[in-house]
Each structure stands twice: as structure tokens, then as C-alpha cells.
Amino acid sequence: MGMRPPTGLPSLSRRSRVLLVLALVAAVLLLIGPRLIETYTSWLWFGEVGFRGVFTTVLVTRILLFLAVALLVGGAVFGALLLAYRSRPVFVPAAGPNDPIARYRTTVMSRLRLFGVVVPIVIGVLAGLVAQSSWVAVQMFLHGGDFGQHDPQFNLDVGFYAFDLPFYRLVLNWLFVAVLIAFFANLVTHYVFGGLRLSGHEGALTKAARIQLAVLAGTFVLLKAVAYWLDRYSLLSSSRKEPTFTGAGFTDTNAVLPAKLILLAIAVICALAFFAVIFMRDMRIPALATALLVLSSILVGAVYPLLIEQFSVKPNAAQKESPYIERNIQATRQAYGISDDKVTYQPYSGDATQAPRDVPADVTTIANARLLDPNVLSPTFTQQQQRQNFYGFPPTLDIDRYELAGEKRDYIVAARELSPNNLQGNQTDWINKHTVYTHGDGLVAAPANRVTAPVLDPTQDTSNNAGYPIYTVSDIASQQDGTQVIKVDQPRIYFGEVIAEGDADYAIVGNGDPNQPREYDTTNSKYTYTGAGGVPIGNWFNRLAFAAKYAERNILFSGVIDSNSKIIFNRDPKSRVENVAPWLTTDGDAYPAAVDGRIVWIVDGYTTLDNYPYAQRSSLDGLVEDSIDQTTGRPLPRKEVSYIRNSVKATVDAYDGTVTLYQVDEQDPVLKAWMGVFPGTVQPPSAVSDELRSHFRYPEDLFKVQREMLAKYHVDDPNEFFTNNAFWSVPNEPTVEGSTLNEPPYYVLVGDEETGEPVFRLTSPMVGFRREFLSAYITADSDPKNYGKLTVLQLPVNKQTQGPAQAQNSMISDSRVASEKALLERANKIQFGNQLTLPIADGGILYVEPMFTERSGSNAASFPQLTRVLVSFQEPGPTGRVRVGYAATLAEALNQVFEGGTGGAATAPGGTVTEQQSAGTSPAPATPQPEAAQPAPPQPGGTDRDAVVSELDSALSQVRSAQQSGDFGAYGAALDRLQKAVTDYQNLPE
């Protein structure tokens, strides 16, 4: 007796169904609840910063794209299921008592709504969730315009590749997905309901099944034909020729491109063969067509281009690829902003033709030579300017310039921020952490070219305030006592880089009782936040939302929160900019500046593309990484680009968190498209105040990308490009032995070649390809007058000018340096600061490098101090001798290298210029300091300043000479003379 097949799934009891429903509801809440809370709190946050239009535009675009793709894919699956079900055979022959299909057929028939409706909905929802992340392609298609540049192969505007092609690809991909899933859904349904039977020798296929499957297969192949057509345009961003160049080469143009057209034609024929099955029963025709398409894709699409590449191109690569390399050169220059109209190339001899003291620009350059390294001095700033344990500074400080008393100077700058990670003991209690310790205090700046006093004997205890920065502080105390030099009306910092550290980046501020302030302000005062920043949490619904967001019940039950309370979150400046402008890639370094009485963070924003035709495509994180990023762990943007522009400068107010986006490139088509997507979010260039513009810097990440490109793409000749002979390289970090990381670029204040006035530039030396000799020197102007001007000084190929690594080797192998370094290392940690490469003397190259020491051991009060200054200069001539200076001051080190008192142009410790130069611009006088930041006031003395300084230099030289001679008697006398000179110097009147 045969077994009767089961009639369906076993039924559940009422209790089981209730438990199942509750479990499903709980799962949905766990899955969707956090997203709903995040969406609501984000909506509140975007309202706080005034960019809710960005939030709604992105949200609506995502929802519409989700619905469109969900309906497309879900509808295709539903239609395929419905057609297969309705055209099922009326009678299905049984395949025996153990037919497995009968069981599934019975199950499906008993759950038609589940399988016929729920399955397509689930598949559609999943597809929509994946597709909604592609909202950028949709908006770029809708708002993109023309570039005014045409590709050399198809003569189409670059806007087609940037804005249109990605959207066409998106649509095509989802049509592929919809048709493919519908095909399998239709196939399985026909199999379950008997339209497709595999029993027997040949099986069986009903007419309806044959037609439906053939139409779906034909549509899929037809879409493949469209894909072949679009593949032609994608060839222009091909990476087949990497690492030589990006873009369609000889093989792509002469083999792959025709192959795509051949395959397109075959795909159309194959699709017609499938459609012919509607009228013909013979399935061999589409089967043969499919085999032809597969075979053709192998032979025509892969084998033929490979044969052309191996036997035609490679034996004659330089000749064959020459026109395509030329295309790559021109496109890459345009895409990365290094075209001939934006870069000035100048020959540079590498040989000094004048004395530096006779060149006005050199006098300014030497006077402003930067001795303080922002990558070294964070511990020093922390120890000397932290004030309270809960304040802190970022691991890497910043460089900016200020014009005070009519003189421009560059400063090491940092905001004294609240550091949540520094809170200790009861300070970490929730009440204290989030409602008491809420903000930082002020801007700290130090002139970059001078320190308090020279370190005369670094082997002794260095607690005498020598070799440290001279601070200018703009904080609450300086505001109250009127000692501010850099004017700041509101020094409190609620938004910053350090303050955003920790697991819970939020503070709760505001108080209904003005007589009961809660926030720590100074040792003797408390404060209540009055700024516009923050989201109100006075109502219970918002409190509940944020309690859920941060999983913190205290937000819900704490009595310190009242109707006037607000929560401040998303406090990192870069994150705030990235949230309000999700289409921007931000620079890795945001820096604080005092602008119009406010402390603001300035963030550089980039617009990028990854498919600019023929432009070199590179990984952004690989292009911008250098030794500083490795040391500080600075996050790098991980993205592939083939086009980049610094089109937006953003500011974030440190007090109220206001985000403002400014357009600084009016020619960028990508920015214009985004301004069409989010109208009114980017302010025009005219909205930038003069004071804000004076603090704009040429961004480091963009400069790193451009110098990497200039290393290759300064070459005009395609044949020379192919051989790599004329390429440059970014030098390795010279101050770290054995480093394989790039030397970072440096901001310097140097003299203008024409006027001698100080100009702020970002600079980088370049060495020959896999060589150490200097080949070029790249600068980017940051001052408003010539902002963005790139200049490349090119050294002769037959001139062996020492590069950074060679200069470093010359300096540290000097007998004076080696002997004192060995002595110091016994009790000190030695760290070399930024090695500056400075073109001077109308053709020469001067290297200046500070050396910092820090007492080793467990002494917590030890921190880096400037101990010595090294300089290196190569004499004129084909094999010019390298001179090395090594002294406690830049002036003395320069005098060891140059004749004629060149060191007199250097700014002396404490800020005094050692000698006024009649031939050019003299350095600015010292900036007055706040009383709390000043060293002990000097006692009046009757000695002439110039004579005292001259005696100090002479005494330092005598000590050095005596030390080298080994005459201990002379050495002792020299030290006595030096001590007297130092005393006279310290007693000079202000």
C-alpha cells in the first residue's frame, strides 16, 4: 500500500503562533528601532546646523530609489511567478508514489499568498536596501552638466563619463538583476507545477514555459548587448596599462573596442534567436546562439586582444603606446589641476650666485626659518599650557600665520580642548563628564621661528626655561585681564578634534536657573552655555530618543536636565562637515584660527571623481600617506580617484558649531552639480571675509596628490614618459633612519622673490627617480594674492645637488654632531624636527633642521625642547663641498656655513633680530606676550643690544672651537665668557 504524500506544513498551536508573532515583532524592533532613533536624532541635528534640506534631499532620494528598485525587482519576480502559475498544466502526470515535487507543490498551493506575494516583496525589499546607497549616481545624473572638455576617442564631453555613464550602469545592473531573478523564479515555478519536467530521456517543456523562459533569456542577452555598448566608454578608464598609464591603449582601441562591437552584434542575434522560440519549438537555435556568444566572448573578447598585446604591442610598446600616453598625460594634468596654465616651471641652477644676506628675499626667509615642529611639540604644549588635567592638545599641532602690528609671522597653533580621556577619578562620573566638563579654553600660539633662549649645555638639567616656545594665549584669563594679542571674543571651545574623543561624544548644557551655572569655566567660576548649538532635550520624547541612542538611562532620569537643556554632539569639525556635505572628501587636517574674534576650525573639502577618461586613477590613501600620518595615526580618506578639486572651504565655529561652506573654485563642474542638488548650502566666494581668506592654506592632502602626479606628469614626451628616465620621486623621511615613508610637505614663511615680503607656502623637495639627488622643488602659494599658484623649480639633470637624505647624512655624520649626539643619548631622547628645504642665494639650497631633546627616564616633567639647530649648504660647482652648521642658535649655525655674517638675518631666541639688514626686509619685532606666558622679566642693563648679541655669538663660537680643540683650559675660559654674555643678554631691557 503506497504512502500518501503529506498535505502541507504542520499547523501551529495558538500559543505557538502568539509566541512566534511576538518574536518577529521583537526582531523587527531590534533591527529597525536603532535606525529609526538614529534617523530622528539626525533629523534634529541637521535642524540644529541649518542643513535639514540636505537630510531630507538625501532621505527622499534614498527612499525613491529604494521604491523604484524594489518595485522593479519585486515586480519582475511577482510577474514571473504569476505567469508561470497561471499557465501551469491542468493535469500533471504523477511521477510515482515517491515524487518529491508533489510535496512541494502541495505546500505551495496551501500557502499561495506566502510564496506568491511575500517572496517577491522580500526580494524587492532586499534589492531596494542595496540600491538606495547609490543615490549619488541618481542626483549626479539629474544635475550634472558639461565640463567643456572632450575625450580624444569618442569626442564626448567629460560630463557624460562623470554624470551620465554611472547612472546608465546603475540602471543596467538592476535590470540584469531583475531579469535574472525573474528567470529563475519562473523556472522553479514551472518545475514545481509541471510546466518543466525532467523525467524521461529528454524531459518536457510546455509551450507557455518555453515562451516565458525564452523571453526572459532573450531580454537578458539583449541587456548584455547594451552592456557591450557601454563597455566601450568604460575603456577610457581602463587600468589594463597600469602601472604605466590609465586609459585605453593601443590594444584597447584596436582590439578590445572592435571586439565589443562584434560581441554586441552577436548578442543581438542571440537575443533574436531566443525570441524566435516564441514561434518555433526548436530549442537548438537559441542553444547554438548562446554557445556562439560564449565562444566569441572568449576568442574575440579575450584571446584576440591578448595576442595583439603580446605579439604586436609589447615588442614595439614605446611606439605603439605613444599617442595614448600623450592622451593620459593631458587628461591627468587636467584632472588633478596640474595643467600648464596652473603650474609654472622655472629652471634652477642649484648653485649659489649671491650671498644670502645680499638678497632681500633670503633675508626674510632666514628671519622666518621655522624651528618649531608641530609634529614634535604637542607634549611640550601639553606640559606648559594644559592648565588643568582635563585639557589637552592633539598629537599633531598646526601652522598658521597672523599679521600683528603690521608684520606677518607663522605660528604653531592649537586649541586648548577638553580631553575626555584625561578625566580622572570622580571627574569620570556621568554628571561631571557630561554636564560639568563640557568645553575647552582658548587658542594657544607660538611664533614658529624662535624659542625662549638658547640651550647652552644640553647635557645638564634643562629646567631653566630655555629652548621652549614663547606662547601667545587667547583664553578666558587673557580676555579678562586684557592681555590678548590674537583677539578672541569667545574663547570657549565646545567643538574640536580632541573634545570628540571617547565612546560618548556629547555634552548636556543649558540651565533654566541663571544663578546656578554648572559647567566648569575657571578655577573660580562656572558657566552656562548661551550659544546656538545643541539640540533641545527639554521634552521627554527627545530625552527618550537620546537615552536610547547613547544607551544611557541618566539622560532620562537626571534632575540636572530641565526645559532649557540642550545636548551637543557630533563635535568633531571634520565629521560635522562630512555630515552636512556627504559629497565632499575632507582633508585629514582641520586647523583652528582666530577669525573676526571667533575661534573657527577650517576644513578643506574636495570634490572627486573615479572615472575621468584617460586620467590616472590612484588610491587616495596611498597618495597622501607619509611619515606624519604613520606617526600620529591620522585617518586617511580611503577612496580611488582620477579627479580632485579643492572647491570648498568649510568653517566650524568652535563655540556654537555653526558649519559654513564656501565656494572657492567657480570652475569646478562637480561642485556646480552638487550645488544644484543642494541649493543654498554653499556660500559664494564673495561671502568669504578678508580675514578668513587670510587664514586659508593650500591643503596638504591635495598637495601630496599633486606632487605624486607631478613626479611623472611633468614629462611632455611620451617616449621619455615610457622609459621613466625623467621621473621624480618624493623623498623618504630623512630624519628617521631607514624610513620608507614619504617626507611630508611643510608650510614655510619665505621671502617673495620679487618684493622680499614674507609669503606663506606649502613646499616639498623632489629627488630623481630611485636616486637621492635633488631634482625639483615644488611650492604652492597660500596667500590670497597668488593662492593656489604652483611653482616647480627644476634643477639640471647633470647637477648633483644634495637631496634631503644626503643633507641629513652630511649633518649627522659631522664630527661635532656625532660626538655631542652620542653624549646626549646617554640621558636624553633625541628627535630631529622638520627638515626644511629652502631655496636661497639665487640658486642655492639651504637645509635647516631643528634637534629636540627630552630627558629619558621616568621624569614626567620632561618634554621636547629645542636644543640645537643644524644647517647644510652645498657650495657652487659640479662637485661643491657641503658645509654643515651646528649650534644652539640658527644665527651661529649659519655663520659657520656662510661668510659675512649671514646669521645676522636670523631671529634670535626671544625674538630679537641679531642684525638689521640694510639690503632688504628686516624681521618683525617680537610680539608682546601675555603676562602669564612670559619668562621672568629681564633687569635693565646699560649694554648696547647689538654689542651684546654680537658678544653672545662670538662667545658661542669660542666655546665650539675650544670643544673641538680638546683644550680644557680654553674650554673653561670660553664657558665663563659665554655665561657672562648670556647674563648680559638676559638683562637687556625690553
Side-chain angles (χ1 to χ4, degrees), residues 209-261:
R210 184 183 75 248
I211 293 175
Q212 292 169 22
L213 293 173
V215 170
L216 288 170
T219 303
F220 184 87
V221 176
L222 198 60
L223 291 174
K224 185 62 179 175
V226 177
Y228 283 132
W229 179 262
L230 295 181
D231 286 345
R232 298 162 60 248
Y233 304 114
S234 299
L235 285 175
L236 302 196
S237 297
S238 167
S239 57
R240 176 193 292 269
K241 294 300 180 182
E242 284 190 345
T244 307
F245 66 93
T246 298
F250 181 90
T251 301
D252 294 311
T253 304
N254 295 278
V256 178
L257 187 58
K260 295 294 183 184
L261 294 176

Short mmCIF file of all heavy atoms in Angstrom, two decimals, residues 209-261:
data_model
loop_
_atom_site.label_atom_id
_atom_site.label_comp_id
_atom_site.label_asym_id
_atom_site.label_seq_id
_atom_site.Cartn_x
_atom_site.Cartn_y
_atom_site.Cartn_z
N ALA A 209 5.80 27.64 -20.78
CA ALA A 209 7.11 27.69 -20.11
C ALA A 209 8.19 28.04 -21.10
O ALA A 209 9.10 28.84 -20.81
CB ALA A 209 7.38 26.34 -19.45
N ARG A 210 8.11 27.43 -22.31
CA ARG A 210 9.14 27.71 -23.32
C ARG A 210 9.14 29.19 -23.71
O ARG A 210 10.19 29.82 -23.80
CB ARG A 210 8.86 26.83 -24.55
CG ARG A 210 9.94 26.99 -25.62
CD ARG A 210 9.63 26.17 -26.85
NE ARG A 210 8.56 26.78 -27.64
CZ ARG A 210 7.35 26.27 -27.80
NH1 ARG A 210 7.03 25.15 -27.19
NH2 ARG A 210 6.44 26.87 -28.54
N ILE A 211 7.97 29.74 -23.92
CA ILE A 211 7.89 31.15 -24.34
C ILE A 211 8.38 32.08 -23.24
O ILE A 211 9.17 33.00 -23.49
CB ILE A 211 6.44 31.48 -24.75
CG1 ILE A 211 6.06 30.71 -26.01
CG2 ILE A 211 6.28 32.99 -24.95
CD1 ILE A 211 4.60 30.87 -26.42
N GLN A 212 7.90 31.83 -22.02
CA GLN A 212 8.27 32.74 -20.93
C GLN A 212 9.77 32.69 -20.65
O GLN A 212 10.43 33.74 -20.50
CB GLN A 212 7.49 32.37 -19.67
CG GLN A 212 6.00 32.65 -19.78
CD GLN A 212 5.21 32.05 -18.65
OE1 GLN A 212 5.74 31.77 -17.58
NE2 GLN A 212 3.90 31.83 -18.87
N LEU A 213 10.33 31.50 -20.58
CA LEU A 213 11.77 31.39 -20.32
C LEU A 213 12.59 31.96 -21.46
O LEU A 213 13.64 32.58 -21.25
CB LEU A 213 12.13 29.93 -20.06
CG LEU A 213 11.57 29.32 -18.77
CD1 LEU A 213 11.85 27.82 -18.70
CD2 LEU A 213 12.16 30.03 -17.54
N ALA A 214 12.13 31.74 -22.68
CA ALA A 214 12.85 32.26 -23.85
C ALA A 214 12.83 33.79 -23.86
O ALA A 214 13.85 34.43 -24.17
CB ALA A 214 12.23 31.71 -25.13
N VAL A 215 11.70 34.40 -23.52
CA VAL A 215 11.61 35.87 -23.50
C VAL A 215 12.55 36.43 -22.43
O VAL A 215 13.26 37.42 -22.66
CB VAL A 215 10.16 36.32 -23.26
CG1 VAL A 215 10.11 37.82 -22.98
CG2 VAL A 215 9.30 35.98 -24.47
N LEU A 216 12.54 35.81 -21.26
CA LEU A 216 13.41 36.30 -20.19
C LEU A 216 14.88 36.12 -20.56
O LEU A 216 15.70 37.03 -20.35
CB LEU A 216 13.10 35.55 -18.89
CG LEU A 216 11.78 35.93 -18.22
CD1 LEU A 216 11.47 34.97 -17.07
CD2 LEU A 216 11.82 37.36 -17.70
N ALA A 217 15.23 34.97 -21.12
CA ALA A 217 16.62 34.75 -21.53
C ALA A 217 17.01 35.71 -22.65
O ALA A 217 18.12 36.25 -22.66
CB ALA A 217 16.81 33.30 -21.97
N GLY A 218 16.12 35.92 -23.60
CA GLY A 218 16.42 36.85 -24.68
C GLY A 218 16.59 38.28 -24.18
O GLY A 218 17.46 39.01 -24.65
N THR A 219 15.75 38.66 -23.21
CA THR A 219 15.89 40.01 -22.62
C THR A 219 17.24 40.15 -21.92
O THR A 219 17.90 41.19 -22.04
CB THR A 219 14.75 40.27 -21.62
OG1 THR A 219 13.50 40.10 -22.28
CG2 THR A 219 14.85 41.66 -21.05
N PHE A 220 17.65 39.11 -21.20
CA PHE A 220 18.94 39.14 -20.52
C PHE A 220 20.08 39.32 -21.53
O PHE A 220 20.99 40.14 -21.31
CB PHE A 220 19.14 37.85 -19.73
CG PHE A 220 20.41 37.83 -18.91
CD1 PHE A 220 20.42 38.36 -17.63
CD2 PHE A 220 21.58 37.30 -19.43
CE1 PHE A 220 21.58 38.34 -16.88
CE2 PHE A 220 22.73 37.29 -18.69
CZ PHE A 220 22.75 37.81 -17.41
N VAL A 221 20.04 38.57 -22.60
CA VAL A 221 21.10 38.68 -23.62
C VAL A 221 21.04 40.05 -24.30
O VAL A 221 22.08 40.64 -24.65
CB VAL A 221 20.97 37.54 -24.64
CG1 VAL A 221 22.01 37.69 -25.75
CG2 VAL A 221 21.13 36.20 -23.96
N LEU A 222 19.85 40.57 -24.50
CA LEU A 222 19.72 41.90 -25.10
C LEU A 222 20.33 42.96 -24.18
O LEU A 222 20.98 43.92 -24.64
CB LEU A 222 18.25 42.20 -25.37
CG LEU A 222 17.95 43.34 -26.36
CD1 LEU A 222 18.55 43.04 -27.71
CD2 LEU A 222 16.45 43.55 -26.47
N LEU A 223 20.11 42.80 -22.88
CA LEU A 223 20.75 43.72 -21.93
C LEU A 223 22.27 43.58 -21.99
O LEU A 223 22.99 44.57 -21.81
CB LEU A 223 20.25 43.43 -20.51
CG LEU A 223 18.79 43.78 -20.22
CD1 LEU A 223 18.40 43.30 -18.81
CD2 LEU A 223 18.56 45.29 -20.34
N LYS A 224 22.74 42.37 -22.22
CA LYS A 224 24.18 42.17 -22.36
C LYS A 224 24.72 42.92 -23.57
O LYS A 224 25.83 43.45 -23.55
CB LYS A 224 24.47 40.66 -22.50
CG LYS A 224 25.95 40.32 -22.53
CD LYS A 224 26.65 40.73 -21.24
CE LYS A 224 28.12 40.35 -21.27
NZ LYS A 224 28.84 40.86 -20.07
N ALA A 225 23.93 43.01 -24.62
CA ALA A 225 24.33 43.79 -25.80
C ALA A 225 24.47 45.26 -25.44
O ALA A 225 25.42 45.93 -25.87
CB ALA A 225 23.30 43.60 -26.92
N VAL A 226 23.53 45.76 -24.62
CA VAL A 226 23.63 47.15 -24.17
C VAL A 226 24.89 47.33 -23.32
O VAL A 226 25.58 48.35 -23.40
CB VAL A 226 22.38 47.56 -23.37
CG1 VAL A 226 22.51 48.98 -22.85
CG2 VAL A 226 21.13 47.41 -24.24
N ALA A 227 25.19 46.32 -22.49
CA ALA A 227 26.39 46.39 -21.65
C ALA A 227 27.65 46.47 -22.51
O ALA A 227 28.58 47.20 -22.18
CB ALA A 227 26.44 45.18 -20.72
N TYR A 228 27.68 45.71 -23.60
CA TYR A 228 28.83 45.78 -24.50
C TYR A 228 28.98 47.19 -25.08
O TYR A 228 30.09 47.69 -25.26
CB TYR A 228 28.68 44.78 -25.65
CG TYR A 228 28.98 43.35 -25.25
CD1 TYR A 228 28.11 42.31 -25.60
CD2 TYR A 228 30.14 43.02 -24.55
CE1 TYR A 228 28.37 41.00 -25.24
CE2 TYR A 228 30.42 41.71 -24.19
CZ TYR A 228 29.52 40.71 -24.53
OH TYR A 228 29.80 39.41 -24.17
N TRP A 229 27.86 47.84 -25.34
CA TRP A 229 27.92 49.21 -25.88
C TRP A 229 28.50 50.17 -24.83
O TRP A 229 29.36 50.99 -25.15
CB TRP A 229 26.51 49.64 -26.30
CG TRP A 229 26.45 51.05 -26.84
CD1 TRP A 229 26.10 52.17 -26.16
CD2 TRP A 229 26.78 51.47 -28.16
NE1 TRP A 229 26.17 53.27 -26.96
CE2 TRP A 229 26.58 52.88 -28.21
CE3 TRP A 229 27.20 50.80 -29.30
CZ2 TRP A 229 26.82 53.61 -29.37
CZ3 TRP A 229 27.43 51.54 -30.47
CH2 TRP A 229 27.23 52.93 -30.48
N LEU A 230 28.04 50.04 -23.60
CA LEU A 230 28.57 50.93 -22.56
C LEU A 230 30.00 50.59 -22.19
O LEU A 230 30.75 51.47 -21.74
CB LEU A 230 27.67 50.83 -21.31
CG LEU A 230 26.23 51.33 -21.47
CD1 LEU A 230 25.48 51.19 -20.15
CD2 LEU A 230 26.21 52.77 -21.95
N ASP A 231 30.39 49.32 -22.36
CA ASP A 231 31.78 48.94 -22.08
C ASP A 231 32.77 49.72 -22.93
O ASP A 231 33.92 49.93 -22.51
CB ASP A 231 31.98 47.44 -22.33
CG ASP A 231 31.35 46.58 -21.24
OD1 ASP A 231 31.02 47.12 -20.17
OD2 ASP A 231 31.19 45.36 -21.47
N ARG A 232 32.35 50.14 -24.09
CA ARG A 232 33.24 50.91 -24.97
C ARG A 232 33.70 52.19 -24.27
O ARG A 232 34.87 52.57 -24.36
CB ARG A 232 32.51 51.26 -26.27
CG ARG A 232 32.11 50.04 -27.08
CD ARG A 232 31.02 50.35 -28.11
NE ARG A 232 31.43 51.35 -29.06
CZ ARG A 232 30.92 52.58 -29.14
NH1 ARG A 232 29.94 52.93 -28.29
NH2 ARG A 232 31.34 53.43 -30.04
N TYR A 233 32.77 52.84 -23.58
CA TYR A 233 33.12 54.09 -22.91
C TYR A 233 33.93 53.85 -21.64
O TYR A 233 34.79 54.66 -21.27
CB TYR A 233 31.85 54.88 -22.58
CG TYR A 233 30.99 55.14 -23.80
CD1 TYR A 233 29.72 54.56 -23.92
CD2 TYR A 233 31.44 55.96 -24.83
CE1 TYR A 233 28.93 54.80 -25.04
CE2 TYR A 233 30.65 56.20 -25.95
CZ TYR A 233 29.40 55.61 -26.05
OH TYR A 233 28.64 55.84 -27.16
N SER A 234 33.69 52.73 -21.00
CA SER A 234 34.45 52.41 -19.79
C SER A 234 35.90 52.10 -20.09
O SER A 234 36.76 52.15 -19.19
CB SER A 234 33.81 51.22 -19.06
OG SER A 234 32.49 51.51 -18.66
N LEU A 235 36.21 51.78 -21.36
CA LEU A 235 37.60 51.50 -21.72
C LEU A 235 38.50 52.71 -21.47
O LEU A 235 39.70 52.55 -21.25
CB LEU A 235 37.68 51.11 -23.20
CG LEU A 235 37.21 49.70 -23.57
CD1 LEU A 235 37.25 49.51 -25.07
CD2 LEU A 235 38.06 48.66 -22.87
N LEU A 236 37.92 53.91 -21.50
CA LEU A 236 38.75 55.11 -21.33
C LEU A 236 39.22 55.28 -19.90
O LEU A 236 40.06 56.14 -19.62
CB LEU A 236 37.97 56.35 -21.78
CG LEU A 236 37.48 56.34 -23.24
CD1 LEU A 236 37.09 57.75 -23.66
CD2 LEU A 236 38.51 55.77 -24.18
N SER A 237 38.68 54.49 -18.99
CA SER A 237 39.19 54.47 -17.62
C SER A 237 39.80 53.12 -17.29
O SER A 237 39.93 52.74 -16.13
CB SER A 237 38.05 54.77 -16.63
OG SER A 237 37.53 56.06 -16.83
N SER A 238 40.20 52.40 -18.33
CA SER A 238 40.76 51.07 -18.16
C SER A 238 42.08 51.13 -17.41
O SER A 238 42.87 52.06 -17.57
CB SER A 238 40.97 50.42 -19.54
OG SER A 238 41.77 49.27 -19.44
N SER A 239 42.32 50.12 -16.60
CA SER A 239 43.59 50.02 -15.88
C SER A 239 44.47 48.92 -16.46
O SER A 239 45.37 48.42 -15.80
CB SER A 239 43.33 49.74 -14.39
OG SER A 239 42.57 48.55 -14.25
N ARG A 240 44.20 48.53 -17.71
CA ARG A 240 44.98 47.47 -18.37
C ARG A 240 46.46 47.82 -18.41
O ARG A 240 47.32 46.96 -18.28
CB ARG A 240 44.45 47.24 -19.78
CG ARG A 240 45.26 46.23 -20.59
CD ARG A 240 44.88 46.29 -22.05
NE ARG A 240 43.53 45.84 -22.27
CZ ARG A 240 43.20 44.58 -22.55
NH1 ARG A 240 44.13 43.66 -22.63
NH2 ARG A 240 41.95 44.24 -22.77
N LYS A 241 46.77 49.11 -18.57
CA LYS A 241 48.15 49.53 -18.76
C LYS A 241 48.86 49.93 -17.47
O LYS A 241 49.98 50.41 -17.50
CB LYS A 241 48.22 50.69 -19.76
CG LYS A 241 47.81 50.31 -21.17
CD LYS A 241 48.70 49.22 -21.73
CE LYS A 241 48.29 48.84 -23.14
NZ LYS A 241 49.13 47.75 -23.68
N GLU A 242 48.18 49.83 -16.36
CA GLU A 242 48.84 50.17 -15.11
C GLU A 242 49.97 49.18 -14.86
O GLU A 242 49.85 48.01 -15.18
CB GLU A 242 47.84 50.17 -13.95
CG GLU A 242 46.97 51.38 -13.93
CD GLU A 242 46.16 51.48 -12.64
OE1 GLU A 242 46.05 50.48 -11.90
OE2 GLU A 242 45.63 52.56 -12.41
N PRO A 243 51.11 49.62 -14.28
CA PRO A 243 51.32 50.96 -13.72
C PRO A 243 51.82 52.00 -14.73
O PRO A 243 52.19 53.10 -14.34
CB PRO A 243 52.40 50.69 -12.66
CG PRO A 243 53.21 49.59 -13.25
CD PRO A 243 52.25 48.73 -14.00
N THR A 244 51.89 51.64 -16.02
CA THR A 244 52.41 52.61 -16.99
C THR A 244 51.49 53.81 -17.12
O THR A 244 51.90 54.95 -16.95
CB THR A 244 52.59 51.94 -18.37
OG1 THR A 244 53.39 50.77 -18.21
CG2 THR A 244 53.26 52.90 -19.33
N PHE A 245 50.22 53.58 -17.42
CA PHE A 245 49.26 54.67 -17.51
C PHE A 245 47.85 54.11 -17.46
O PHE A 245 47.63 52.92 -17.65
CB PHE A 245 49.48 55.51 -18.77
CG PHE A 245 49.20 54.78 -20.07
CD1 PHE A 245 47.96 54.85 -20.67
CD2 PHE A 245 50.20 54.03 -20.68
CE1 PHE A 245 47.70 54.18 -21.86
CE2 PHE A 245 49.95 53.35 -21.87
CZ PHE A 245 48.70 53.43 -22.46
N THR A 246 46.89 54.99 -17.22
CA THR A 246 45.47 54.62 -17.17
C THR A 246 44.81 55.10 -18.45
O THR A 246 45.12 56.17 -18.95
CB THR A 246 44.79 55.25 -15.95
OG1 THR A 246 45.39 54.75 -14.76
CG2 THR A 246 43.31 54.92 -15.92
N GLY A 247 43.86 54.31 -18.93
CA GLY A 247 43.13 54.71 -20.13
C GLY A 247 43.30 53.68 -21.23
O GLY A 247 44.12 52.75 -21.15
N ALA A 248 42.51 53.83 -22.29
CA ALA A 248 42.57 52.90 -23.42
C ALA A 248 43.89 53.04 -24.15
O ALA A 248 44.26 54.13 -24.57
CB ALA A 248 41.40 53.17 -24.36
N GLY A 249 44.60 51.94 -24.29
CA GLY A 249 45.85 51.92 -25.03
C GLY A 249 45.65 51.39 -26.43
O GLY A 249 44.53 51.30 -26.94
N PHE A 250 46.74 51.01 -27.06
CA PHE A 250 46.68 50.52 -28.44
C PHE A 250 45.80 49.28 -28.53
O PHE A 250 44.94 49.18 -29.40
CB PHE A 250 48.10 50.21 -28.94
CG PHE A 250 48.14 49.72 -30.35
CD1 PHE A 250 48.28 50.61 -31.40
CD2 PHE A 250 48.03 48.36 -30.66
CE1 PHE A 250 48.31 50.16 -32.72
CE2 PHE A 250 48.05 47.90 -31.96
CZ PHE A 250 48.20 48.80 -32.99
N THR A 251 46.00 48.33 -27.60
CA THR A 251 45.21 47.10 -27.63
C THR A 251 43.73 47.37 -27.39
O THR A 251 42.86 46.80 -28.08
CB THR A 251 45.73 46.11 -26.57
OG1 THR A 251 47.11 45.84 -26.84
CG2 THR A 251 44.95 44.82 -26.57
N ASP A 252 43.44 48.26 -26.45
CA ASP A 252 42.04 48.58 -26.17
C ASP A 252 41.37 49.20 -27.38
O ASP A 252 40.22 48.86 -27.71
CB ASP A 252 41.96 49.55 -24.99
CG ASP A 252 42.43 48.90 -23.70
OD1 ASP A 252 41.97 47.80 -23.39
OD2 ASP A 252 43.26 49.51 -23.01
N THR A 253 42.06 50.12 -28.02
CA THR A 253 41.46 50.85 -29.13
C THR A 253 41.35 50.00 -30.39
O THR A 253 40.35 50.09 -31.13
CB THR A 253 42.28 52.12 -29.42
OG1 THR A 253 42.36 52.90 -28.24
CG2 THR A 253 41.64 52.95 -30.52
N ASN A 254 42.36 49.17 -30.65
CA ASN A 254 42.41 48.45 -31.92
C ASN A 254 41.97 46.98 -31.82
O ASN A 254 41.82 46.33 -32.86
CB ASN A 254 43.83 48.50 -32.48
CG ASN A 254 44.25 49.92 -32.86
OD1 ASN A 254 43.92 50.41 -33.92
ND2 ASN A 254 44.97 50.58 -31.96
N ALA A 255 41.78 46.48 -30.61
CA ALA A 255 41.34 45.10 -30.47
C ALA A 255 40.10 44.98 -29.59
O ALA A 255 39.10 44.38 -29.98
CB ALA A 255 42.48 44.25 -29.90
N VAL A 256 40.16 45.54 -28.39
CA VAL A 256 39.05 45.40 -27.47
C VAL A 256 37.83 46.16 -27.96
O VAL A 256 36.69 45.65 -27.90
CB VAL A 256 39.45 45.87 -26.06
CG1 VAL A 256 38.26 45.76 -25.10
CG2 VAL A 256 40.62 45.07 -25.53
N LEU A 257 38.03 47.38 -28.44
CA LEU A 257 36.90 48.19 -28.90
C LEU A 257 36.17 47.54 -30.08
O LEU A 257 34.94 47.40 -30.04
CB LEU A 257 37.39 49.59 -29.26
CG LEU A 257 36.32 50.62 -29.61
CD1 LEU A 257 35.35 50.79 -28.46
CD2 LEU A 257 36.97 51.97 -29.95
N PRO A 258 36.86 47.08 -31.13
CA PRO A 258 36.13 46.34 -32.18
C PRO A 258 35.49 45.06 -31.66
O PRO A 258 34.40 44.68 -32.11
CB PRO A 258 37.23 46.03 -33.20
CG PRO A 258 38.29 47.04 -32.96
CD PRO A 258 38.26 47.30 -31.49
N ALA A 259 36.17 44.41 -30.71
CA ALA A 259 35.61 43.17 -30.15
C ALA A 259 34.28 43.44 -29.45
O ALA A 259 33.35 42.63 -29.53
CB ALA A 259 36.61 42.54 -29.17
N LYS A 260 34.18 44.57 -28.76
CA LYS A 260 32.92 44.90 -28.10
C LYS A 260 31.79 45.07 -29.11
O LYS A 260 30.65 44.64 -28.86
CB LYS A 260 33.09 46.19 -27.29
CG LYS A 260 34.07 46.11 -26.12
CD LYS A 260 33.58 45.17 -25.04
CE LYS A 260 34.55 45.16 -23.85
NZ LYS A 260 34.14 44.18 -22.82
N LEU A 261 32.09 45.67 -30.24
CA LEU A 261 31.06 45.85 -31.27
C LEU A 261 30.67 44.51 -31.88
O LEU A 261 29.48 44.26 -32.17
CB LEU A 261 31.56 46.81 -32.34
CG LEU A 261 31.79 48.26 -31.88
CD1 LEU A 261 32.39 49.09 -33.01
CD2 LEU A 261 30.48 48.88 -31.41
#
